[in-house]
Amino acid sequence: MPDPLFHKIALIGIGLIGSSLARVIRREGLAGEIIVSTRSAETLARAEELGLGDRYFSRADEAVRDADLVIVSVPVGSSGSVAQEIAPALKKGCIVTDVGSTKRSVIAQMQPALPDHVHFIPGHPLAGTERSGPDAGFAELFENRWCIFTPLPGTDAGALEKLSEFWRRCGSNIEIMDADHHDMVLAIVSHLPHIIAYNIVGTADDLEAVTKSEVIKYSASGFRDFTRLAASDPTMWRDVCLHNKDAILEMLARFSEDLASLQRAIRWEDGDKLFEMFSRTRAVRRSIIEAGQEIDVPDFGRQVVEHPAGGKS
Ligand code: NAP
């Protein structure tokens, strides 16, 4: 094994993302020591049973002492309180990053709390599943996925390069953009699809003319593909909606206009319009497969893939 990139990495939050990081850090030998911290005694005990770290703390400030990399992996609405808790204990020159799905709000919460003597580099790995908790993670989660950084003006180039190297060794490709652009892009590629899925599954659950047992029984016709997204963690997604409100509302307005146009085409039996649109969208899926972000297997997402770490996707 080459020398570890970091002497001591502190993972604050050890759910799907934190525990996947713990596993890949161990596999790749990226840290001399892995410190795990989470607020609840149950999750901390489970992380210890799974052997995710070398030392375990329920207090985040105790966990970050002497760490040269701190990764905050908690719901975005809690980033500010975590930053306040760790701030007095951070070592001079340490890199502090996060994995939150929204960036403008995380920066607004964390930056004012963190001391000037640390390198704060906001990040977001575009990798996940609908599962949560320390059992859900697996070392391969970040492979061939993008990790986006939204560095603040004046960010130290050496610190950014070191963090980029860390994520490359976790298997990711790096992209850099500003926080507002990140939030707009993610609103369409991630946040809107989840909101639509939550909505359609909720609508089906509320229907009176179609029974619940029929919805379940005939779900393979399309409905179940939405249920995977709609099974995602409620706390995480509540926070995403509240913390990327403007971009999500803008995308929802566009979506509603396009839906109204589709509705009109159906009402007026405009088959050409429907065919043209459905052909255009089919090409989008082909591009995603060509970009290596999906595999061309008809029922991907329904097969159970076992991961060496015990996780499944
Ligand atoms: P998760 O599996 O639900 O784990 C959440 C972790 O955060 C747990 O350790 C939990 O601690 C801790 N936590 C929860 N509420 C907290 C609070 N109020 N204060 C301090 N700690 C708290 O979540 P995850 O999927 O790993 O998501 C973590 C972050 O990654 C989120 O910001 C999310 O936006 C981002 N992200 C998620 C995905 C995805 O697909 N899931 C993808 C990319 C980025 P306890 O269990 O001890 O309560």
Side-chain angles (χ1 to χ4, degrees):
M1 275 279 175
D3 279 351
L5 254 185
F6 292 96
H7 164 66
K8 189 192 273 190
I9 298 183
L11 299 173
I12 312 301
I14 197 75
L16 170 72
I17 302 295
S19 74
S20 294
L21 281 167
R23 289 173 169 105
V24 68
I25 290 167
R26 179 86 77 203
R27 188 190 69 191
E28 297 300 315
L30 300 178
E33 196 178 20
I34 303 171
I35 311 295
V36 169
S37 173
T38 190
R39 60 176 182 164
S40 77
E42 297 90 303
T43 308
L44 196 64
R46 185 63 190 142
E48 194 162 1
E49 268 169 32
L50 292 167
L52 294 174
D54 299 308
R55 287 194 290 142
Y56 303 85
F57 295 89
S58 52
R59 285 187 51 166
D61 56 346
E62 288 173 5
V64 302
R65 247 172 249 292
D66 283 331
D68 37 10
L69 174 63
V70 174
I71 309 180
V72 177
S73 310
V74 302
V76 290
S78 311
S79 347
S81 56
V82 168
Q84 280 165 23
E85 189 184 346
I86 62 175
L90 291 167
K91 184 169 94 166
K92 189 168 184 286
C94 112
I95 297 175
V96 179
T97 188
D98 77 303
V99 298
S101 306
T102 70
K103 293 275 59 84
R104 193 166 61 164
S105 149
V106 166
I107 293 169
Q109 292 175 73
M110 291 186 72
Q111 193 192 12
L114 296 174
D116 291 339
H117 63 71
V118 303
H119 304 291
F120 172 46
I121 306 176
H124 178 202
L126 270 55
T129 75
E130 67 279 19
R131 301 200 179 177
S132 39
D135 285 278
F138 50 96
E140 300 77 12
L141 180 64
F142 308 109
E143 252 161 50
N144 199 27
R145 295 287 173 257
W146 289 97
C147 182
I148 299 179
F149 296 126
T150 59
L152 301 157
T155 296
D156 181 78
L160 182 58
E161 177 45 35
K162 194 160 181 196
L163 188 61
S164 303
E165 179 59 15
F166 169 82
W167 277 103
R168 280 194 287 269
R169 294 224 211 150
C170 292
S172 296
N173 307 311
I174 308 300
E175 191 75 65
I176 294 193
M177 58 180 75
D178 75 59
D180 285 349
H181 189 66
H182 166 279
D183 289 357
M184 191 59 82
V185 171
L186 267 291
I188 186 66
V189 299
S190 170
H191 306 169
L192 201 61
H194 279 83
I195 290 166
I196 293 166
Y198 281 122
N199 193 56
I200 194 170
V201 175
T203 303
D205 196 45
D206 285 344
L207 284 180
E208 279 162 16
V210 180
T211 64
K212 277 193 184 136
S213 63
E214 284 172 309
V215 169
I216 308 287
K217 185 169 164 188
Y218 304 122
S219 61
S221 324
F223 182 72
R224 73 176 179 191
D225 288 348
F226 286 100
T227 61
R228 188 182 70 76
L229 291 183
S232 300
D233 188 68
T235 307
M236 169 183 160
W237 284 96
R238 176 203 61 197
D239 280 13
V240 167
C241 289
L242 299 179
H243 289 268
N244 196 20
K245 179 177 147 187
D246 294 344
I248 289 174
L249 288 178
E250 192 173 326
M251 289 303 162
L252 268 175
R254 288 287 298 264
F255 174 79
S256 304
E257 276 176 31
D258 292 343
L259 188 63
S261 150
L262 199 56
Q263 209 172 347
R264 211 164 31 246
I266 296 170
R267 183 180 310 286
W268 296 108
E269 298 174 10
D270 186 348
D272 290 347
K273 183 167 178 142
L274 295 173
F275 188 84
E276 184 273 322
M277 184 183 174
F278 299 163
S279 305
R280 201 153 46 88
T281 54
R282 201 174 209 193
V284 173
R285 180 162 172 90
R286 271 200 299 275
S287 315
I288 291 171
I289 293 165
E290 278 159 25
Q293 296 300 305
E294 170 65 297
I295 52 172
D296 194 11
V297 176
D299 69 347
F300 175 76
R302 291 158 217 151
Q303 291 172 343
V304 176
V305 181
E306 292 285 350
H307 293 281
K312 293 172 179 177
S313 68

